[in-house]
Amino acid sequence: MRRLALALLVLLALAGCGDGDESGQPGGAGGSQRLVVSAAASLTDAFEQYARDFAGAQVRMSFAGSDELAAQIRQGVRPDVFAAANTKLPDQLAREGLVDRPVQFASNELVIAVPAREPGVRALDDLARRGVTLAIGAESVPVGSYTREVLGRLPAGERRAILANVRSNEPDVKGVVGKLTQGAVDAGFVYRSDVRATDGALRAIALPADLRPKVAYGVAVVKGAKNPHAARRFIAGLREGAGARALRAAGFGPPLQ
Amino acid sequence: MRRRAFPALLAVALAVALGFLTLPVLAIFLDTGPGRLLASLGEPSALDALWLSLRTTAASMAIILLLGTPAAYALATRAFRGRDVVTTLVELPLVLPPAVAGIGLLAALGPRGLLGGTLDALGIGLALQTAGVVVAITFVASPFYVRQAQAAFAALDPTWLDASRTLGAGEARTFLRVAVPAALPGLAAGTALALGRALGEFGATLMFAGSFQGITQTVPLAIYARFATDFPAALALSAVLVAVSAAILLSVKLVTRQGLPGVAGP
């Protein structure tokens, strides 16, 4: 019994020692600082590349629908950086006092994606045909709201027909990509960078120029971040440097402003 | 001092465990006012999700009970070569992460899966259909039942089964009129576990069947869809799920205590 008590005391003492430095773990250009980034799902490939090249801190990333990440921040989760697939969410969080002033760091293009070898769908109009199945993002996730923005610019009949063909409202863009690559749907609305990331499994169909939404990605340092210094460096690198290069390589465009 | 220390440690461990397990459940009910919670339940998307979860879970449980009970009986009472391997295989989905279950279902039954072509030829669509939801939740929930049922059948006194056979009852009758009623508490426990698992399945359903209001968006998927934009609405649905699960647990306990009419108890 005395041994058990002693063991428990030792464990408590160790636990109470506080965070030690996390030093030299594999992955990343090294450094003992840790940077936690919450980023939109569409940024997966680009940010993972950037994290490998980012000097002076080890980057831990969490990818999900931007709206889910924003909800986590509202519930008290404190990453260092929040990168969203729109500017609306970072602006909302800034107004709520949860993040510093956001900046734009990339742009993207909303496209129709189809499985590469399927000849059925060639243009936006084909999506209104009976029997065509679609996957789109849920309303609250950026890719879903951009999609609905495009559909909102169509005549009511065509919009209704296309919406009637939707079979799944995915919580993030990678879910839409997944449904497409499994062959579960004929077409979906994703970003051009996502089509690129599938390495040829999907084909992109551009939207008519007058219907294309402005897809601007915003990023901000989260208030209460543990590592605001590295966070600002991370963001700076997104606009000019290793981050910008990774974004271009993944198919993102420059920021719109 | 030593004699009082251990019971005290036990009490502390129990208190911590209890607190940890009950706090998230309580928080669901305490975080937002009941008026707001009730209001969000009336929304069509919430009602659709609840009705869909009810239908798919009921269908899934029917399949699990009809197929799983005889299967568990066979595993428990028939010794055959490789029985342990078969048992492990049947229990495997228990330890699979739901995402892996989703991938597995896609690889087997998805449009590009092993049986995808066959299903297509038979006109059976699973991905993005309600039937796909039933398949996904049956896959993840059935091991919970089969395992309990197998243990319950295996724990039966074999002399009862022999007595039944000696008295002239066939195998089927022995199974239905002797084995099942006698094993009922274990079967009920397995049913409750499988039901809870089926109601709560999220990952495999999302990957295999998708998320669409009224067709595939079960309550867990609806909670996920709402949590980002309407946290009280997510809380409301969660509260309903907690209440329903608790009700199921209680009614299963009641049924097993009363037993079934027309069967002599042990």
Side-chain angles (χ1 to χ4, degrees):
Chain A
M1 200 37 56
R2 204 176 294 165
R3 264 177 288 169
L4 176 61
L6 200 61
L8 280 171
L9 270 172
V10 172
L11 277 171
L12 278 170
L14 282 174
C17 269
D19 310 286
D21 274 334
E22 262 117 10
S23 51
Q25 277 157 46
S32 57
Q33 286 201 324
R34 207 160 74 147
L35 187 68
V36 179
V37 175
S38 286
S42 48
L43 292 164
T44 305
D45 285 359
F47 272 32
E48 280 179 348
Q49 179 59 50
Y50 182 28
R52 284 192 281 273
D53 299 333
F54 189 68
Q58 208 185 31
V59 186
R60 288 261 181 277
M61 285 179 293
S62 169
F63 297 107
S66 314
D67 56 331
E68 182 192 336
L69 299 170
Q72 288 174 345
I73 293 174
R74 286 187 176 111
Q75 293 292 321
V77 175
R78 291 282 170 268
D80 297 300
V81 176
F82 171 55
N86 59 15
T87 51
K88 189 172 84 162
L89 285 167
D91 287 341
Q92 276 177 358
L93 292 182
R95 276 198 297 277
E96 293 165 27
L98 294 169
V99 305
D100 293 343
R101 195 177 60 87
V103 294
Q104 288 190 29
F105 68 100
S107 59
N108 211 336
E109 188 192 338
L110 189 75
V111 297
I112 300 169
V114 293
R117 264 164 281 289
E118 300 291 323
V121 172
R122 307 191 143 278
L124 183 59
D125 300 332
D126 291 333
L127 299 182
R129 274 205 327 255
R130 278 187 64 152
V132 172
T133 55
L134 277 179
I136 62 177
E139 253 181 88
S140 55
V141 73
V143 71
S145 82
Y146 290 132
T147 304
R148 285 166 178 79
E149 198 185 310
V150 169
L151 296 179
R153 295 186 187 146
L154 293 173
E158 195 179 353
R159 175 171 64 248
R160 262 200 304 274
I162 294 180
L163 283 173
N165 285 337
V166 171
R167 289 287 171 274
S168 190
N169 290 308
E170 296 289 324
D172 59 54
V173 74
K174 293 303 184 192
V176 180
V177 173
K179 292 288 176 291
L180 283 164
T181 51
Q182 301 157 28
V185 291
D186 299 317
F189 284 85
V190 302
Y191 302 116
R192 193 172 276 281
S193 54
D194 295 304
V195 175
R196 188 126 150 198
T198 65
D199 265 339
L202 298 182
R203 183 167 54 92
I205 299 172
L207 291 169
D210 55 329
L211 293 175
R212 278 179 218 161
K214 280 202 185 9
V215 179
Y217 281 58
V219 66
V221 179
V222 177
K223 283 209 202 302
K226 286 203 178 61
N227 210 341
H229 204 59
R232 280 188 278 272
R233 272 198 310 115
F234 187 88
I235 293 177
L238 284 175
R239 289 167 62 86
E240 260 183 30
R245 282 194 295 275
L247 286 165
R248 292 298 159 274
F252 288 83
L256 297 177
Q257 68 187 50
Chain B
M1 178 60 196
R2 207 179 284 178
R3 249 182 311 186
R4 283 201 296 270
F6 188 61
L9 275 173
L10 283 180
V12 167
L14 182 59
V16 170
L18 196 63
F20 179 65
L21 291 175
T22 52
L23 190 61
V25 178
L26 284 176
I28 290 173
F29 291 92
L30 298 175
D31 205 39
T32 314
R36 177 74 184 84
L37 291 188
L38 283 172
S40 58
L41 279 181
E43 285 158 33
S45 59
L47 294 171
D48 280 341
L50 287 165
W51 177 226
L52 184 70
S53 273
L54 190 67
R55 277 165 30 220
T56 50
T57 306
S60 170
M61 288 312 299
I63 297 170
I64 289 173
L65 290 175
L66 283 172
L67 284 180
T69 317
Y73 184 66
L75 282 173
T77 57
R78 301 271 178 280
F80 55 88
R81 272 178 64 175
R83 179 166 73 163
D84 286 334
V85 173
V86 173
T87 306
T88 309
L89 285 174
V90 164
E91 289 182 359
L92 199 56
L94 252 175
V95 294
L96 279 184
V100 175
I103 296 275
L105 286 169
L106 283 171
L109 303 169
R112 304 229 165 121
L114 286 177
L115 292 179
T118 320
L119 287 172
D120 205 36
L122 291 170
I124 301 174
L126 290 179
L128 308 182
Q129 309 279 10
T130 309
V133 178
V134 175
V135 167
I137 62 183
T138 306
F139 180 72
V140 297
S142 43
F144 285 84
Y145 177 72
V146 173
R147 202 193 204 204
Q148 289 285 113
Q150 184 184 354
F153 285 130
L156 289 179
D157 189 339
T159 56
W160 294 347
L161 304 177
D162 290 336
S164 163
R165 293 180 191 117
T166 320
L167 290 170
E171 278 309 310
R173 220 179 133 114
T174 303
F175 169 64
L176 282 172
R177 302 304 303 271
V178 179
V180 167
L184 203 59
L187 298 186
T191 305
L193 285 175
L195 221 158
R197 184 71 184 84
L199 263 179
E201 176 48 39
F202 172 79
T205 310
L206 179 60
M207 291 176 74
F208 186 63
S211 177
F212 195 76
Q213 181 178 334
I215 311 276
T216 51
Q217 196 179 72
T218 54
V219 174
L221 289 174
I223 291 171
Y224 192 68
R226 290 155 152 228
F227 127 80
T229 46
D230 191 357
F231 198 70
L235 282 175
L237 274 178
S238 307
V240 172
L241 212 52
V242 169
V244 168
S245 307
I248 292 165
L249 210 57
L250 280 172
S251 46
V252 158
K253 283 191 193 284
L254 280 174
V255 163
T256 54
R257 207 166 299 165
Q258 279 176 359
L260 286 183
V263 175

